[in-house]
Amino acid sequence: MEEEEAAAAAAMAAEGGGVPHFFLCPISMELMRDPVTVATGVTYERKNIEKWLFVYNKFTCPATMQRLPSFHLTPNHTVSRLISSFVASFPSPPPPPPPPPTPFSHRRKVDQVEALLCSIRTGPFKSARLKELRSVLAGDANLLDDVNVSSKVLECVIAEIVNSADFVGFGACEEAFGVLALLPLSDKATVDVVVKPEHLRPIMAVLQSGSADARVDAMSILVKISKVNRDHWIPTDQELDLFTALLELLSDEISSSTKLSLCSLDLLLELAVRSRRSRSRAVEAGAVRVLVELLPEAGRRSCERALLLLKRLCELPEGRAAFAEHGLGVAAVTKKLLRVSETATKLGVKVLWLVSSFSAAGKVAEEMVVVGAVSKMVTLLHAAGGSSTKERAIAMIKLHGGLWRQFPCFPCELTNFMRSNR
């Protein structure tokens, strides 16, 4: 169901009698496109309830103000089908009118941009001119969406970046990155220009040693590239350098929850799903160590991303080995179980299950009982119903119960459980 069709149907229904109340999201009072139901049984538009829960960090149902026992969102397929039928019962809206002619003010801004580009190419004071160009482009969607303007800007700033690649600490190069970060970079032809090896090297150099603002800009560029070009766009000889740069940046951000660290985790996750080789390179670059050391002070969003990336890396033998060798790995993951979110618990249990089931598991299993992971498995046994998390907890208890029983801190509840499951 397209957004425009839904909006048109809602408008026409309003004129002829209104939209059925249960088709409207209780938060926005707009026709729902992706209805999901929370634990209290109330249905909301997905993006609205996700914003309520994960952006505003609320713990209640907005309609009833009851505290939510979990943040699980269940797609409401029945309401979705009814809304689709409701929208389909109205005629298609008329096509939008043609866009108005380019206003004079836009033409004047285009001339201003072209004059600045000429000055950047041929004159001195490049840093000041690039800063002025960035100011002109910032916030002007019409300029940024103008293909003719954006292609000229791209050509100019790429040339400046390459020409000053050996001087990444200087203002002109960093201002050029600031301009490049503003461009949409939303089509493959444009992205193919940016990902040429001679253009990627300066981006990674800034990522490693640029100023804080320049690093944010470089990260923004790489995130845009990864979303458009889902092929293997990193040259083999630069892949390890990119992982190293991202992990060094993430290490600098440990104990904080800045946008830069979240972007680093997002890009690492994006790269890690591309291929087994990419995940292996991430392990080689030290990703497991950095993620383990990030966990103790990580907020909810960073924690969930870090655990998801750890899970993907621990699907490889080398990832499990790196985790098992880290002295704080088991303790760091255990600390997050049942404390952060349902998602974090699920991912944490999966990490422990992978490492303790497929690695040389004796050392890991011993650490699990010492740091309290086994006690948390007992709590998971009492969870209502069945779930993959509960099943993995049971599998670990059956696998390692004999070893765990030798420890004085072994929970007595598990003795009876193991006897009943022989």
Side-chain angles (χ1 to χ4, degrees), residues 74-122:
T74 304
N76 192 325
H77 298 297
T78 301
V79 170
S80 181
R81 286 194 294 270
L82 290 172
I83 292 175
S84 296
S85 300
F86 174 75
V87 171
S89 67
F90 292 92
S92 300
T102 304
F104 176 73
S105 60
H106 179 69
R107 180 67 257 173
R108 186 167 55 188
K109 278 198 169 186
V110 170
D111 292 341
Q112 184 182 4
V113 168
E114 291 179 347
L116 283 169
L117 294 176
C118 181
S119 176
I120 291 165
R121 292 190 200 96
T122 61

Side-chain angles (χ1 to χ4, degrees), residues 169-202:
F170 288 83
C173 184
E174 295 194 347
E175 289 295 345
F177 274 104
V179 175
L180 182 58
L182 289 175
L183 298 180
L185 304 180
S186 56
D187 63 276
K188 194 172 185 303
T190 302
V191 167
D192 286 345
V193 173
V194 182
V195 298
K196 289 181 178 179
E198 63 269 26
H199 302 161
L200 273 179
R201 288 190 193 96

Side-chain angles (χ1 to χ4, degrees), residues 84 89 99-100 129 204 219 236 263 315 321 324 327 331 333 344 349 353 377 412 420:
S84 296
S89 67
R129 296 290 177 265
M204 286 192 278
M219 181 64 65
T236 302
C263 286
E315 290 167 355
V333 171
V349 168
W353 179 76
M377 298 299 157
C412 59
S420 63

